Amino acid sequence: MEKLMDPADPAAGLAAVVALRRLADRLEDSQVEAALRAGWSWSDVAEVLGVTRQAVHKKHAARLIAAGVALRRR
Amino acid sequence: MSTNVKDVRTVLTRDAREEAELDGSAAIEAEHVLLGLTRQSAGPVSRLLTEAGLTRETIRDALDREWEQSLSVAGIAVAVAELPTPTPDRGRPPKFGESAKLVLKRAADLARRLGAHRITAAHILAGLLDTNLGRVARALDLAGVDRPALQARALQIAADEAR
């Protein structure tokens, strides 16, 4: 348990990288969904994320359409 | 659930993929293969996992604790249970990630060494346990599982099957 928490241990440090990627992915999925449910446009979501509208649409549109989110025209 | 060893790979693939989808993961990772294994309702591997206290719920709980601990190494305090849950993406099947590919490779290597004609759940479990690295090993450690002992029993099941 101690070893798992030791930032000087490469195994813990590398596991932290994986954990952060998981967290970023989880937050992106949930926050993009929340924004679109709140009526945001794809363009506005893309601008905040610093990616193209096409990129965010390609990554999330199918999931959110299947989830029944009422999407604004892009 | 089928217990026909011929179907194990297919069942695992399907169940592991389902677990990856539920996890919101774009890739099937080793932990999803382990979770998939717990969906088997019969057979020696199912009994072994149950005896070790490893159910789908206890493993998911251990994986969440591993996630929290690893985030804390980066100075981030998150209660995974309180994170917002996105709607899973059911339309885009997750691909096999590198950690799951390693599991299948190790399982296949073991089956070949034992002269088995098919990869069984025992080979998969042994393949999962054949490393000290990654989320599965760390989560099992957190759950207090004696990994070498579990590995030895998985290998014994595989050896018995090969006789």
Side-chain angles (χ1 to χ4, degrees), chain A residues 1 4-5 11 15-16 19-20 22-23 26 29-31 33 37 58-59 63 67, chain B residues 23 31 67 69-74 76 83-84 86-87 89 92 135 138 142:
Chain A
M1 190 83 71
L4 280 174
M5 301 285 289
L20 284 166
R22 279 180 60 83
L23 183 63
R26 171 75 76 91
D29 285 353
S30 58
Q31 298 313 312
E33 180 170 347
R37 283 188 192 278
K58 183 180 178 197
K59 189 166 176 184
R63 176 173 68 93
Chain B
D23 190 32
E31 63 257 39
W67 194 9
Q69 291 230 348
S70 294
L71 286 170
S72 76
V73 172
I76 295 174
L83 285 178
T87 305
D89 190 348
R92 191 165 6 196
R135 290 194 81 216
R138 296 170 67 81
L142 277 173

PDB file of all heavy atoms in Angstrom, chain A residues 1 4-5 11 15-16 19-20 22-23 26 29-31 33 37 58-59 63 67, chain B residues 23 31 67 69-74 76 83-84 86-87 89 92 135 138 142:
ATOM      1  N   MET A   1       0.849  -1.215   0.000  1.00  0.00           N
ATOM      2  CA  MET A   1       0.000   0.000   0.000  1.00  0.00           C
ATOM      3  C   MET A   1       0.871   1.246   0.000  1.00  0.00           C
ATOM      4  O   MET A   1       0.699   2.146  -0.803  1.00  0.00           O
ATOM      5  CB  MET A   1      -0.910  -0.018   1.227  1.00  0.00           C
ATOM      6  CG  MET A   1      -1.980   1.060   1.201  1.00  0.00           C
ATOM      7  SD  MET A   1      -3.433   0.596   0.241  1.00  0.00           S
ATOM      8  CE  MET A   1      -4.176  -0.646   1.288  1.00  0.00           C
ATOM      9  N   LEU A   4       2.510   1.664  -3.359  1.00  0.00           N
ATOM     10  CA  LEU A   4       1.596   2.130  -4.393  1.00  0.00           C
ATOM     11  C   LEU A   4       1.494   3.652  -4.398  1.00  0.00           C
ATOM     12  O   LEU A   4       1.239   4.264  -5.415  1.00  0.00           O
ATOM     13  CB  LEU A   4       0.208   1.526  -4.176  1.00  0.00           C
ATOM     14  CG  LEU A   4      -0.002   0.095  -4.654  1.00  0.00           C
ATOM     15  CD1 LEU A   4      -1.370  -0.382  -4.221  1.00  0.00           C
ATOM     16  CD2 LEU A   4       0.120   0.005  -6.146  1.00  0.00           C
ATOM     17  N   MET A   5       1.684   4.247  -3.199  1.00  0.00           N
ATOM     18  CA  MET A   5       1.478   5.685  -3.058  1.00  0.00           C
ATOM     19  C   MET A   5       2.760   6.488  -3.270  1.00  0.00           C
ATOM     20  O   MET A   5       2.736   7.704  -3.247  1.00  0.00           O
ATOM     21  CB  MET A   5       0.942   5.981  -1.650  1.00  0.00           C
ATOM     22  CG  MET A   5      -0.363   5.299  -1.323  1.00  0.00           C
ATOM     23  SD  MET A   5      -1.711   6.111  -2.145  1.00  0.00           S
ATOM     24  CE  MET A   5      -1.762   7.635  -1.205  1.00  0.00           C
ATOM     25  N   ALA A  11       6.632   2.697 -10.910  1.00  0.00           N
ATOM     26  CA  ALA A  11       5.375   1.968 -11.121  1.00  0.00           C
ATOM     27  C   ALA A  11       4.182   2.823 -10.703  1.00  0.00           C
ATOM     28  O   ALA A  11       3.147   2.851 -11.384  1.00  0.00           O
ATOM     29  CB  ALA A  11       5.390   0.649 -10.348  1.00  0.00           C
ATOM     30  N   ALA A  15       1.512   4.496 -13.248  1.00  0.00           N
ATOM     31  CA  ALA A  15       0.099   4.191 -13.004  1.00  0.00           C
ATOM     32  C   ALA A  15      -0.703   5.482 -12.884  1.00  0.00           C
ATOM     33  O   ALA A  15      -1.872   5.538 -13.286  1.00  0.00           O
ATOM     34  CB  ALA A  15      -0.046   3.343 -11.744  1.00  0.00           C
ATOM     35  N   ALA A  16      -0.058   6.530 -12.343  1.00  0.00           N
ATOM     36  CA  ALA A  16      -0.744   7.822 -12.238  1.00  0.00           C
ATOM     37  C   ALA A  16      -1.052   8.385 -13.628  1.00  0.00           C
ATOM     38  O   ALA A  16      -2.104   8.998 -13.836  1.00  0.00           O
ATOM     39  CB  ALA A  16       0.109   8.807 -11.431  1.00  0.00           C
ATOM     40  N   ALA A  19      -4.025   6.633 -14.850  1.00  0.00           N
ATOM     41  CA  ALA A  19      -5.196   7.086 -14.091  1.00  0.00           C
ATOM     42  C   ALA A  19      -5.658   8.455 -14.579  1.00  0.00           C
ATOM     43  O   ALA A  19      -6.861   8.715 -14.682  1.00  0.00           O
ATOM     44  CB  ALA A  19      -4.853   7.135 -12.598  1.00  0.00           C
ATOM     45  N   LEU A  20      -4.704   9.339 -14.884  1.00  0.00           N
ATOM     46  CA  LEU A  20      -5.059  10.675 -15.370  1.00  0.00           C
ATOM     47  C   LEU A  20      -5.718  10.592 -16.751  1.00  0.00           C
ATOM     48  O   LEU A  20      -6.672  11.319 -17.037  1.00  0.00           O
ATOM     49  CB  LEU A  20      -3.810  11.556 -15.435  1.00  0.00           C
ATOM     50  CG  LEU A  20      -3.315  12.064 -14.073  1.00  0.00           C
ATOM     51  CD1 LEU A  20      -1.906  12.630 -14.193  1.00  0.00           C
ATOM     52  CD2 LEU A  20      -4.262  13.131 -13.522  1.00  0.00           C
ATOM     53  N   ARG A  22      -7.447   8.083 -17.880  1.00  0.00           N
ATOM     54  CA  ARG A  22      -8.806   7.577 -17.629  1.00  0.00           C
ATOM     55  C   ARG A  22      -9.718   8.700 -17.148  1.00  0.00           C
ATOM     56  O   ARG A  22     -10.866   8.810 -17.570  1.00  0.00           O
ATOM     57  CB  ARG A  22      -8.778   6.472 -16.558  1.00  0.00           C
ATOM     58  CG  ARG A  22      -8.398   5.095 -17.041  1.00  0.00           C
ATOM     59  CD  ARG A  22      -8.406   4.086 -15.885  1.00  0.00           C
ATOM     60  NE  ARG A  22      -9.718   3.978 -15.251  1.00  0.00           N
ATOM     61  CZ  ARG A  22     -10.706   3.214 -15.700  1.00  0.00           C
ATOM     62  NH1 ARG A  22     -10.535   2.474 -16.777  1.00  0.00           N
ATOM     63  NH2 ARG A  22     -11.860   3.170 -15.076  1.00  0.00           N
ATOM     64  N   LEU A  23      -9.169   9.529 -16.263  1.00  0.00           N
ATOM     65  CA  LEU A  23      -9.970  10.627 -15.711  1.00  0.00           C
ATOM     66  C   LEU A  23     -10.315  11.645 -16.807  1.00  0.00           C
ATOM     67  O   LEU A  23     -11.466  12.096 -16.904  1.00  0.00           O
ATOM     68  CB  LEU A  23      -9.206  11.311 -14.570  1.00  0.00           C
ATOM     69  CG  LEU A  23      -9.964  12.426 -13.849  1.00  0.00           C
ATOM     70  CD1 LEU A  23     -11.209  11.880 -13.160  1.00  0.00           C
ATOM     71  CD2 LEU A  23      -9.072  13.128 -12.827  1.00  0.00           C
ATOM     72  N   ARG A  26     -12.979  10.160 -19.070  1.00  0.00           N
ATOM     73  CA  ARG A  26     -14.277  10.120 -18.390  1.00  0.00           C
ATOM     74  C   ARG A  26     -14.900  11.516 -18.339  1.00  0.00           C
ATOM     75  O   ARG A  26     -16.088  11.707 -18.604  1.00  0.00           O
ATOM     76  CB  ARG A  26     -14.103   9.557 -16.976  1.00  0.00           C
ATOM     77  CG  ARG A  26     -15.359   9.665 -16.095  1.00  0.00           C
ATOM     78  CD  ARG A  26     -16.422   8.660 -16.472  1.00  0.00           C
ATOM     79  NE  ARG A  26     -16.064   7.348 -15.988  1.00  0.00           N
ATOM     80  CZ  ARG A  26     -16.430   6.859 -14.801  1.00  0.00           C
ATOM     81  NH1 ARG A  26     -17.176   7.574 -13.996  1.00  0.00           N
ATOM     82  NH2 ARG A  26     -16.064   5.673 -14.431  1.00  0.00           N
ATOM     83  N   ASP A  29     -16.074  12.703 -21.876  1.00  0.00           N
ATOM     84  CA  ASP A  29     -17.337  12.072 -22.277  1.00  0.00           C
ATOM     85  C   ASP A  29     -18.525  12.665 -21.516  1.00  0.00           C
ATOM     86  O   ASP A  29     -19.567  12.979 -22.097  1.00  0.00           O
ATOM     87  CB  ASP A  29     -17.280  10.551 -22.026  1.00  0.00           C
ATOM     88  CG  ASP A  29     -16.417   9.841 -23.055  1.00  0.00           C
ATOM     89  OD1 ASP A  29     -15.982  10.506 -24.022  1.00  0.00           O
ATOM     90  OD2 ASP A  29     -16.164   8.636 -22.897  1.00  0.00           O
ATOM     91  N   SER A  30     -18.364  12.826 -20.202  1.00  0.00           N
ATOM     92  CA  SER A  30     -19.515  13.290 -19.412  1.00  0.00           C
ATOM     93  C   SER A  30     -19.769  14.783 -19.609  1.00  0.00           C
ATOM     94  O   SER A  30     -20.924  15.218 -19.658  1.00  0.00           O
ATOM     95  CB  SER A  30     -19.322  12.957 -17.931  1.00  0.00           C
ATOM     96  OG  SER A  30     -18.142  13.543 -17.433  1.00  0.00           O
ATOM     97  N   GLN A  31     -18.698  15.566 -19.759  1.00  0.00           N
ATOM     98  CA  GLN A  31     -18.900  17.009 -19.873  1.00  0.00           C
ATOM     99  C   GLN A  31     -19.379  17.427 -21.263  1.00  0.00           C
ATOM    100  O   GLN A  31     -20.177  18.362 -21.393  1.00  0.00           O
ATOM    101  CB  GLN A  31     -17.619  17.763 -19.489  1.00  0.00           C
ATOM    102  CG  GLN A  31     -17.189  17.536 -18.040  1.00  0.00           C
ATOM    103  CD  GLN A  31     -18.335  17.680 -17.047  1.00  0.00           C
ATOM    104  OE1 GLN A  31     -19.089  18.645 -17.095  1.00  0.00           O
ATOM    105  NE2 GLN A  31     -18.480  16.701 -16.160  1.00  0.00           N
ATOM    106  N   GLU A  33     -21.263  15.554 -23.081  1.00  0.00           N
ATOM    107  CA  GLU A  33     -22.672  15.156 -23.018  1.00  0.00           C
ATOM    108  C   GLU A  33     -23.491  16.193 -22.254  1.00  0.00           C
ATOM    109  O   GLU A  33     -24.576  16.615 -22.704  1.00  0.00           O
ATOM    110  CB  GLU A  33     -22.792  13.780 -22.355  1.00  0.00           C
ATOM    111  CG  GLU A  33     -24.234  13.285 -22.249  1.00  0.00           C
ATOM    112  CD  GLU A  33     -24.318  11.826 -21.814  1.00  0.00           C
ATOM    113  OE1 GLU A  33     -23.296  11.117 -21.828  1.00  0.00           O
ATOM    114  OE2 GLU A  33     -25.443  11.400 -21.476  1.00  0.00           O
ATOM    115  N   ARG A  37     -26.504  18.476 -23.812  1.00  0.00           N
ATOM    116  CA  ARG A  37     -27.838  18.386 -23.197  1.00  0.00           C
ATOM    117  C   ARG A  37     -28.311  19.775 -22.765  1.00  0.00           C
ATOM    118  O   ARG A  37     -29.513  20.054 -22.742  1.00  0.00           O
ATOM    119  CB  ARG A  37     -27.810  17.456 -21.973  1.00  0.00           C
ATOM    120  CG  ARG A  37     -27.794  15.967 -22.324  1.00  0.00           C
ATOM    121  CD  ARG A  37     -27.959  15.119 -21.061  1.00  0.00           C
ATOM    122  NE  ARG A  37     -27.665  13.713 -21.291  1.00  0.00           N
ATOM    123  CZ  ARG A  37     -28.520  12.831 -21.816  1.00  0.00           C
ATOM    124  NH1 ARG A  37     -29.735  13.220 -22.185  1.00  0.00           N
ATOM    125  NH2 ARG A  37     -28.179  11.571 -21.992  1.00  0.00           N
ATOM    126  N   LYS A  58     -17.159  13.875 -34.533  1.00  0.00           N
ATOM    127  CA  LYS A  58     -16.821  12.498 -34.924  1.00  0.00           C
ATOM    128  C   LYS A  58     -16.693  11.603 -33.692  1.00  0.00           C
ATOM    129  O   LYS A  58     -17.110  10.444 -33.683  1.00  0.00           O
ATOM    130  CB  LYS A  58     -15.509  12.496 -35.716  1.00  0.00           C
ATOM    131  CG  LYS A  58     -15.104  11.135 -36.242  1.00  0.00           C
ATOM    132  CD  LYS A  58     -13.801  11.215 -37.025  1.00  0.00           C
ATOM    133  CE  LYS A  58     -13.393   9.816 -37.494  1.00  0.00           C
ATOM    134  NZ  LYS A  58     -11.991   9.764 -37.889  1.00  0.00           N
ATOM    135  N   LYS A  59     -16.124  12.179 -32.628  1.00  0.00           N
ATOM    136  CA  LYS A  59     -15.850  11.367 -31.443  1.00  0.00           C
ATOM    137  C   LYS A  59     -17.106  11.094 -30.611  1.00  0.00           C
ATOM    138  O   LYS A  59     -17.236  10.041 -30.001  1.00  0.00           O
ATOM    139  CB  LYS A  59     -14.801  12.093 -30.580  1.00  0.00           C
ATOM    140  CG  LYS A  59     -14.268  11.276 -29.424  1.00  0.00           C
ATOM    141  CD  LYS A  59     -13.017  11.920 -28.858  1.00  0.00           C
ATOM    142  CE  LYS A  59     -12.518  11.169 -27.635  1.00  0.00           C
ATOM    143  NZ  LYS A  59     -11.364  11.850 -27.018  1.00  0.00           N
ATOM    144  N   ARG A  63     -22.601   8.401 -30.103  1.00  0.00           N
ATOM    145  CA  ARG A  63     -22.948   8.025 -28.718  1.00  0.00           C
ATOM    146  C   ARG A  63     -24.110   8.880 -28.203  1.00  0.00           C
ATOM    147  O   ARG A  63     -25.053   8.368 -27.598  1.00  0.00           O
ATOM    148  CB  ARG A  63     -21.714   8.218 -27.826  1.00  0.00           C
ATOM    149  CG  ARG A  63     -21.940   7.967 -26.344  1.00  0.00           C
ATOM    150  CD  ARG A  63     -20.632   8.028 -25.578  1.00  0.00           C
ATOM    151  NE  ARG A  63     -20.056   9.371 -25.546  1.00  0.00           N
ATOM    152  CZ  ARG A  63     -20.283  10.251 -24.561  1.00  0.00           C
ATOM    153  NH1 ARG A  63     -21.085   9.930 -23.567  1.00  0.00           N
ATOM    154  NH2 ARG A  63     -19.737  11.439 -24.583  1.00  0.00           N
ATOM    155  N   ALA A  67     -27.904   8.066 -27.275  1.00  0.00           N
ATOM    156  CA  ALA A  67     -28.347   8.332 -25.901  1.00  0.00           C
ATOM    157  C   ALA A  67     -29.602   9.200 -25.872  1.00  0.00           C
ATOM    158  O   ALA A  67     -30.141   9.482 -24.810  1.00  0.00           O
ATOM    159  CB  ALA A  67     -27.221   9.007 -25.114  1.00  0.00           C
TER     160      ALA A  67
ATOM    161  N   ASP B  23     -17.439   0.547 -19.027  1.00  0.00           N
ATOM    162  CA  ASP B  23     -16.400   1.342 -18.376  1.00  0.00           C
ATOM    163  C   ASP B  23     -16.144   2.639 -19.149  1.00  0.00           C
ATOM    164  O   ASP B  23     -15.352   3.474 -18.710  1.00  0.00           O
ATOM    165  CB  ASP B  23     -15.121   0.493 -18.295  1.00  0.00           C
ATOM    166  CG  ASP B  23     -14.049   1.118 -17.422  1.00  0.00           C
ATOM    167  OD1 ASP B  23     -14.419   1.795 -16.442  1.00  0.00           O
ATOM    168  OD2 ASP B  23     -12.857   0.946 -17.714  1.00  0.00           O
ATOM    169  N   GLU B  31      -8.084  -5.458 -17.518  1.00  0.00           N
ATOM    170  CA  GLU B  31      -9.074  -5.507 -16.430  1.00  0.00           C
ATOM    171  C   GLU B  31     -10.462  -5.884 -16.940  1.00  0.00           C
ATOM    172  O   GLU B  31     -11.248  -6.482 -16.222  1.00  0.00           O
ATOM    173  CB  GLU B  31      -9.126  -4.176 -15.671  1.00  0.00           C
ATOM    174  CG  GLU B  31      -9.566  -2.966 -16.494  1.00  0.00           C
ATOM    175  CD  GLU B  31      -8.397  -2.080 -16.899  1.00  0.00           C
ATOM    176  OE1 GLU B  31      -7.322  -2.632 -17.242  1.00  0.00           O
ATOM    177  OE2 GLU B  31      -8.560  -0.847 -16.875  1.00  0.00           O
ATOM    178  N   TRP B  67      -7.629   3.228  -9.110  1.00  0.00           N
ATOM    179  CA  TRP B  67      -7.728   4.497  -9.864  1.00  0.00           C
ATOM    180  C   TRP B  67      -7.552   5.685  -8.910  1.00  0.00           C
ATOM    181  O   TRP B  67      -6.755   6.593  -9.162  1.00  0.00           O
ATOM    182  CB  TRP B  67      -9.096   4.535 -10.565  1.00  0.00           C
ATOM    183  CG  TRP B  67      -9.228   5.590 -11.619  1.00  0.00           C
ATOM    184  CD1 TRP B  67      -8.249   6.384 -12.125  1.00  0.00           C
ATOM    185  CD2 TRP B  67     -10.438   5.950 -12.304  1.00  0.00           C
ATOM    186  NE1 TRP B  67      -8.767   7.214 -13.080  1.00  0.00           N
ATOM    187  CE2 TRP B  67     -10.097   6.978 -13.209  1.00  0.00           C
ATOM    188  CE3 TRP B  67     -11.758   5.511 -12.246  1.00  0.00           C
ATOM    189  CZ2 TRP B  67     -11.042   7.571 -14.045  1.00  0.00           C
ATOM    190  CZ3 TRP B  67     -12.707   6.102 -13.086  1.00  0.00           C
ATOM    191  CH2 TRP B  67     -12.349   7.113 -13.979  1.00  0.00           C
ATOM    192  N   GLN B  69      -6.132   5.748  -5.958  1.00  0.00           N
ATOM    193  CA  GLN B  69      -4.771   5.787  -5.395  1.00  0.00           C
ATOM    194  C   GLN B  69      -3.774   6.326  -6.406  1.00  0.00           C
ATOM    195  O   GLN B  69      -2.892   7.115  -6.062  1.00  0.00           O
ATOM    196  CB  GLN B  69      -4.358   4.372  -4.980  1.00  0.00           C
ATOM    197  CG  GLN B  69      -5.131   3.861  -3.803  1.00  0.00           C
ATOM    198  CD  GLN B  69      -4.231   3.302  -2.732  1.00  0.00           C
ATOM    199  OE1 GLN B  69      -3.043   3.100  -2.943  1.00  0.00           O
ATOM    200  NE2 GLN B  69      -4.796   3.036  -1.565  1.00  0.00           N
ATOM    201  N   SER B  70      -3.915   5.894  -7.647  1.00  0.00           N
ATOM    202  CA  SER B  70      -2.974   6.351  -8.670  1.00  0.00           C
ATOM    203  C   SER B  70      -3.172   7.831  -8.954  1.00  0.00           C
ATOM    204  O   SER B  70      -2.203   8.544  -9.229  1.00  0.00           O
ATOM    205  CB  SER B  70      -3.128   5.517  -9.942  1.00  0.00           C
ATOM    206  OG  SER B  70      -2.731   4.179  -9.688  1.00  0.00           O
ATOM    207  N   LEU B  71      -4.416   8.298  -8.896  1.00  0.00           N
ATOM    208  CA  LEU B  71      -4.660   9.731  -9.054  1.00  0.00           C
ATOM    209  C   LEU B  71      -4.043  10.509  -7.891  1.00  0.00           C
ATOM    210  O   LEU B  71      -3.522  11.614  -8.068  1.00  0.00           O
ATOM    211  CB  LEU B  71      -6.167  10.024  -9.134  1.00  0.00           C
ATOM    212  CG  LEU B  71      -6.847   9.650 -10.449  1.00  0.00           C
ATOM    213  CD1 LEU B  71      -8.370   9.757 -10.329  1.00  0.00           C
ATOM    214  CD2 LEU B  71      -6.352  10.534 -11.591  1.00  0.00           C
ATOM    215  N   SER B  72      -4.079   9.919  -6.710  1.00  0.00           N
ATOM    216  CA  SER B  72      -3.541  10.619  -5.540  1.00  0.00           C
ATOM    217  C   SER B  72      -2.031  10.781  -5.661  1.00  0.00           C
ATOM    218  O   SER B  72      -1.461  11.736  -5.124  1.00  0.00           O
ATOM    219  CB  SER B  72      -3.914   9.888  -4.250  1.00  0.00           C
ATOM    220  OG  SER B  72      -3.115   8.744  -4.076  1.00  0.00           O
ATOM    221  N   VAL B  73      -1.373   9.868  -6.371  1.00  0.00           N
ATOM    222  CA  VAL B  73       0.067  10.019  -6.632  1.00  0.00           C
ATOM    223  C   VAL B  73       0.321  11.304  -7.416  1.00  0.00           C
ATOM    224  O   VAL B  73       1.324  11.988  -7.215  1.00  0.00           O
ATOM    225  CB  VAL B  73       0.611   8.792  -7.408  1.00  0.00           C
ATOM    226  CG1 VAL B  73       2.052   9.024  -7.847  1.00  0.00           C
ATOM    227  CG2 VAL B  73       0.513   7.547  -6.557  1.00  0.00           C
ATOM    228  N   ALA B  74      -0.626  11.650  -8.299  1.00  0.00           N
ATOM    229  CA  ALA B  74      -0.520  12.877  -9.084  1.00  0.00           C
ATOM    230  C   ALA B  74      -1.101  14.067  -8.323  1.00  0.00           C
ATOM    231  O   ALA B  74      -1.246  15.157  -8.883  1.00  0.00           O
ATOM    232  CB  ALA B  74      -1.221  12.700 -10.424  1.00  0.00           C
ATOM    233  N   ILE B  76      -4.125  14.309  -7.023  1.00  0.00           N
ATOM    234  CA  ILE B  76      -5.541  14.558  -7.308  1.00  0.00           C
ATOM    235  C   ILE B  76      -6.413  13.684  -6.417  1.00  0.00           C
ATOM    236  O   ILE B  76      -6.284  12.467  -6.407  1.00  0.00           O
ATOM    237  CB  ILE B  76      -5.843  14.272  -8.794  1.00  0.00           C
ATOM    238  CG1 ILE B  76      -5.084  15.285  -9.652  1.00  0.00           C
ATOM    239  CG2 ILE B  76      -7.339  14.343  -9.080  1.00  0.00           C
ATOM    240  CD1 ILE B  76      -5.188  15.027 -11.120  1.00  0.00           C
ATOM    241  N   LEU B  83     -17.856  10.663  -9.546  1.00  0.00           N
ATOM    242  CA  LEU B  83     -17.639  11.189 -10.899  1.00  0.00           C
ATOM    243  C   LEU B  83     -18.920  11.071 -11.716  1.00  0.00           C
ATOM    244  O   LEU B  83     -19.642  10.079 -11.592  1.00  0.00           O
ATOM    245  CB  LEU B  83     -16.536  10.400 -11.611  1.00  0.00           C
ATOM    246  CG  LEU B  83     -15.090  10.656 -11.203  1.00  0.00           C
ATOM    247  CD1 LEU B  83     -14.178   9.731 -11.988  1.00  0.00           C
ATOM    248  CD2 LEU B  83     -14.715  12.111 -11.449  1.00  0.00           C
ATOM    249  N   PRO B  84     -19.204  12.075 -12.572  1.00  0.00           N
ATOM    250  CA  PRO B  84     -20.354  11.935 -13.461  1.00  0.00           C
ATOM    251  C   PRO B  84     -20.129  10.772 -14.430  1.00  0.00           C
ATOM    252  O   PRO B  84     -19.005  10.531 -14.867  1.00  0.00           O
ATOM    253  CB  PRO B  84     -20.404  13.269 -14.211  1.00  0.00           C
ATOM    254  CG  PRO B  84     -19.058  13.882 -14.034  1.00  0.00           C
ATOM    255  CD  PRO B  84     -18.481  13.335 -12.762  1.00  0.00           C
ATOM    256  N   PRO B  86     -20.819   9.190 -18.001  1.00  0.00           N
ATOM    257  CA  PRO B  86     -21.353   9.431 -19.343  1.00  0.00           C
ATOM    258  C   PRO B  86     -22.177   8.248 -19.832  1.00  0.00           C
ATOM    259  O   PRO B  86     -21.999   7.124 -19.358  1.00  0.00           O
ATOM    260  CB  PRO B  86     -20.098   9.607 -20.199  1.00  0.00           C
ATOM    261  CG  PRO B  86     -19.021   8.898 -19.459  1.00  0.00           C
ATOM    262  CD  PRO B  86     -19.377   8.931 -18.008  1.00  0.00           C
ATOM    263  N   THR B  87     -23.084   8.515 -20.758  1.00  0.00           N
ATOM    264  CA  THR B  87     -23.808   7.420 -21.395  1.00  0.00           C
ATOM    265  C   THR B  87     -22.818   6.583 -22.197  1.00  0.00           C
ATOM    266  O   THR B  87     -22.063   7.137 -22.986  1.00  0.00           O
ATOM    267  CB  THR B  87     -24.878   7.977 -22.349  1.00  0.00           C
ATOM    268  OG1 THR B  87     -25.715   8.861 -21.618  1.00  0.00           O
ATOM    269  CG2 THR B  87     -25.713   6.856 -22.950  1.00  0.00           C
ATOM    270  N   ASP B  89     -20.965   4.323 -24.967  1.00  0.00           N
ATOM    271  CA  ASP B  89     -21.034   4.306 -26.429  1.00  0.00           C
ATOM    272  C   ASP B  89     -21.265   2.868 -26.881  1.00  0.00           C
ATOM    273  O   ASP B  89     -20.359   2.046 -26.857  1.00  0.00           O
ATOM    274  CB  ASP B  89     -19.715   4.837 -27.001  1.00  0.00           C
ATOM    275  CG  ASP B  89     -19.796   5.086 -28.495  1.00  0.00           C
ATOM    276  OD1 ASP B  89     -20.786   4.641 -29.107  1.00  0.00           O
ATOM    277  OD2 ASP B  89     -18.894   5.725 -29.039  1.00  0.00           O
ATOM    278  N   ARG B  92     -19.977   1.846 -31.062  1.00  0.00           N
ATOM    279  CA  ARG B  92     -18.603   1.723 -31.557  1.00  0.00           C
ATOM    280  C   ARG B  92     -17.879   0.715 -30.705  1.00  0.00           C
ATOM    281  O   ARG B  92     -17.389   1.040 -29.629  1.00  0.00           O
ATOM    282  CB  ARG B  92     -17.920   3.091 -31.486  1.00  0.00           C
ATOM    283  CG  ARG B  92     -16.622   3.155 -32.202  1.00  0.00           C
ATOM    284  CD  ARG B  92     -16.139   4.580 -32.434  1.00  0.00           C
ATOM    285  NE  ARG B  92     -16.949   5.615 -31.805  1.00  0.00           N
ATOM    286  CZ  ARG B  92     -16.880   6.895 -32.130  1.00  0.00           C
ATOM    287  NH1 ARG B  92     -16.063   7.285 -33.065  1.00  0.00           N
ATOM    288  NH2 ARG B  92     -17.625   7.783 -31.517  1.00  0.00           N
ATOM    289  N   ARG B 135      -2.914  -2.414 -14.193  1.00  0.00           N
ATOM    290  CA  ARG B 135      -4.024  -2.164 -13.271  1.00  0.00           C
ATOM    291  C   ARG B 135      -4.522  -3.429 -12.583  1.00  0.00           C
ATOM    292  O   ARG B 135      -4.948  -3.385 -11.437  1.00  0.00           O
ATOM    293  CB  ARG B 135      -5.202  -1.499 -14.005  1.00  0.00           C
ATOM    294  CG  ARG B 135      -4.941  -0.063 -14.438  1.00  0.00           C
ATOM    295  CD  ARG B 135      -6.251   0.600 -14.820  1.00  0.00           C
ATOM    296  NE  ARG B 135      -6.958   1.046 -13.636  1.00  0.00           N
ATOM    297  CZ  ARG B 135      -8.277   1.032 -13.490  1.00  0.00           C
ATOM    298  NH1 ARG B 135      -9.047   0.561 -14.463  1.00  0.00           N
ATOM    299  NH2 ARG B 135      -8.843   1.478 -12.396  1.00  0.00           N
ATOM    300  N   ARG B 138      -2.182  -4.327  -9.709  1.00  0.00           N
ATOM    301  CA  ARG B 138      -2.281  -3.332  -8.632  1.00  0.00           C
ATOM    302  C   ARG B 138      -3.621  -3.441  -7.903  1.00  0.00           C
ATOM    303  O   ARG B 138      -3.690  -3.343  -6.676  1.00  0.00           O
ATOM    304  CB  ARG B 138      -2.087  -1.926  -9.210  1.00  0.00           C
ATOM    305  CG  ARG B 138      -0.698  -1.698  -9.791  1.00  0.00           C
ATOM    306  CD  ARG B 138      -0.613  -0.386 -10.560  1.00  0.00           C
ATOM    307  NE  ARG B 138      -0.748   0.768  -9.695  1.00  0.00           N
ATOM    308  CZ  ARG B 138       0.241   1.277  -8.971  1.00  0.00           C
ATOM    309  NH1 ARG B 138       1.442   0.745  -9.019  1.00  0.00           N
ATOM    310  NH2 ARG B 138       0.035   2.327  -8.195  1.00  0.00           N
ATOM    311  N   LEU B 142      -4.393  -4.484  -3.993  1.00  0.00           N
ATOM    312  CA  LEU B 142      -5.236  -3.675  -3.096  1.00  0.00           C
ATOM    313  C   LEU B 142      -6.341  -4.516  -2.472  1.00  0.00           C
ATOM    314  O   LEU B 142      -6.772  -4.264  -1.350  1.00  0.00           O
ATOM    315  CB  LEU B 142      -5.860  -2.507  -3.866  1.00  0.00           C
ATOM    316  CG  LEU B 142      -4.993  -1.264  -4.032  1.00  0.00           C
ATOM    317  CD1 LEU B 142      -5.676  -0.269  -4.945  1.00  0.00           C
ATOM    318  CD2 LEU B 142      -4.712  -0.633  -2.671  1.00  0.00           C
TER     319      LEU B 142
END
